[in-house]
Amino acid sequence: MATSTPTRPSATPPPPAADAARAEACRRLRSRLWRLDDKASPYAYIAPFFLVFAAFGLYPLLYTGWIALHRVELTGLDQSTWIGLDNFQRVLGDGEFWDAVANTFVIGVISTVPQLLVALGLAHLLNYRLRASTFWRTVILTPYATSVATAALVFALVFRPDGGLLNYLLHFVGLGDTNWANGHWTSKIAISVIVIWRWTGYNALIYLAAMQAVPADLYEAASIDGASRWQQFRKVTIPSLRPTILFTIVISTIGSMQLFGEPLLLEGGTLGATGGSEHQYETLSIYLYNYGWKLGHLGPAAAVAWSMLALLLLIALIQWLIGRFLRKSAG
């Protein structure tokens, strides 16, 4: 008896309308995902920076502001008492604080101005075709790669009153008995020399990169008009570097407000931690260090930190107004 194999009924193809609706739904979904990716991707790319900044920048800043409004001691971090603005009044009413502000400002000026001028000159020299230019660029950047502690300790030996290299050289002109660390001006000069030595090469490379971005047509036109190299430098290079010069001024100002290692290690020990025997080179960072870590008063130390921030914002505002005036004058 013959048997027949059962056959599966053939699937009925969906109507064309259902295919069109499904394709339209997929197209709409892909379009929404594309728009979401287009809008969300930039935020996802920059999110790690803001997360790190919030954890290590914003939170410490806000926490320092909270401490500045409380009485908190280093020996009892779990105990705090609300005192409002008393810490700020205590700091701002202290004459030593204003002496530290003056010392910081003086050291900042006498280290920043020569540093940027020398950096500008070195960049101008390196901008020309020199033999072994890479070697010279590496040489001028070497001090920046040196740690603050190493540079400060070496220069502390150079500025020693007894047996120091500088006094030994000055002895031949009758100035060999200078006590650099104990003088009000000599100590500031010694610290400024360390800062200038470390940061000149860094700023020179920044200026060099900006100079190489200046169009060569400007120099050719100035040369055709009969301008000398010095005139080209004044009339072409300097105007083209104004934004870069303003940037280096801002960075150098911020760095001068944070001077700590250089004055701390100039003499070392107790004298270095107090800014000298008469606080003659005590900077704001040294003043903050004394309040927070030597005396253990974290509230006033936090108030000093916020005062430093306010001074930096004030200086930045003044520099922005000057830069805006210069841009309008140039326009």
Side-chain angles (χ1 to χ4, degrees):
M1 179 176 177
T3 59
S4 59
T5 302
T7 59
R8 181 179 300 176
S10 60
T12 304
D19 287 343
R22 187 179 297 109
E24 180 65 19
C26 292
R27 188 188 65 79
R28 290 180 179 178
L29 178 61
R30 285 195 299 268
S31 178
R32 290 176 182 176
L33 291 176
W34 182 86
R35 288 197 300 268
L36 179 62
D37 178 70
D38 184 59
K39 293 180 179 180
S41 293
Y43 297 99
Y45 293 147
I46 64 175
F49 165 77
F50 285 101
L51 292 176
V52 173
F53 172 75
F56 299 99
L58 184 60
Y59 172 73
L61 181 66
L62 297 178
Y63 184 64
T64 303
W66 180 86
I67 292 179
L69 301 176
H70 292 75
R71 180 182 292 110
V72 182
E73 299 297 326
L74 187 61
T75 55
L77 296 176
D78 56 339
Q79 301 176 358
S80 61
T81 305
W82 171 269
I83 58 175
L85 299 177
D86 288 353
N87 286 325
F88 290 94
Q89 294 176 355
R90 177 179 177 180
V91 168
L92 297 178
D94 187 5
E96 186 178 342
F97 170 78
W98 295 107
D99 290 339
V101 171
N103 291 336
T104 303
F105 177 77
V106 171
I107 295 174
V109 170
I110 64 178
S111 63
T112 299
V113 175
Q115 171 194 152
L116 297 184
L117 291 177
V118 174
L120 196 60
L122 289 175
H124 184 62
L125 292 176
L126 292 174
N127 195 31
Y128 290 103
R129 294 182 179 178
L130 297 176
R131 293 182 178 179
S133 59
T134 303
F135 169 76
W136 294 115
R137 293 172 188 177
T138 305
V139 167
I140 67 172
L141 192 62
T142 301
Y144 172 70
T146 306
S147 66
V148 179
T150 303
L153 290 174
V154 169
F155 275 94
L157 296 176
V158 172
F159 288 108
R160 281 185 58 183
D162 52 339
L165 177 62
L166 185 58
N167 275 351
Y168 174 77
L169 296 176
L170 292 178
H171 178 75
F172 294 101
V173 293
L175 300 175
D177 297 329
T178 304
N179 194 333
W180 293 92
N182 285 341
H184 284 272
W185 278 102
T186 55
S187 60
K188 296 179 180 63
I189 293 174
I191 295 172
S192 300
V193 168
I194 304 174
V195 177
I196 293 171
W197 182 81
R198 289 196 68 240
W199 289 96
T200 298
Y202 172 81
N203 290 307
L205 290 187
I206 292 179
Y207 288 149
L208 177 61
M211 287 179 183
Q212 292 180 344
V214 178
D217 298 342
L218 297 178
Y219 292 105
E220 292 177 1
S223 178
I224 292 173
D225 291 338
S228 63
R229 285 190 174 183
W230 171 245
Q231 290 173 333
Q232 293 177 24
F233 179 72
R234 290 192 303 111
K235 301 297 184 180
V236 178
T237 305
I238 296 298
S240 302
L241 294 185
R242 280 179 180 173
T244 307
I245 293 174
L246 182 60
F247 168 76
T248 55
I249 291 174
V250 172
I251 295 299
S252 299
T253 302
I254 295 174
S256 64
M257 291 290 292
Q258 299 174 343
L259 277 179
F260 179 73
E262 293 86 348
L264 180 68
L265 299 175
L266 181 62
E267 286 187 285
T270 305
L271 290 178
T274 56
S277 57
E278 299 179 2
H279 306 284
Q280 64 269 18
Y281 57 88
E282 181 181 23
T283 60
L284 283 171
S285 297
I286 296 292
Y287 182 78
L288 186 154
Y289 170 78
N290 286 327
Y291 252 126
W293 297 103
K294 295 193 66 179
L295 300 178
H297 306 321
L298 298 185
V304 174
W306 271 84
S307 301
M308 293 170 63
L309 176 62
L311 288 174
L312 280 175
L313 293 177
L314 178 61
I315 294 172
L317 176 61
I318 294 174
Q319 292 175 340
W320 177 77
L321 293 174
I322 294 175
R324 184 179 179 184
F325 174 76
L326 293 175
R327 286 192 297 270
K328 286 185 177 181
S329 300

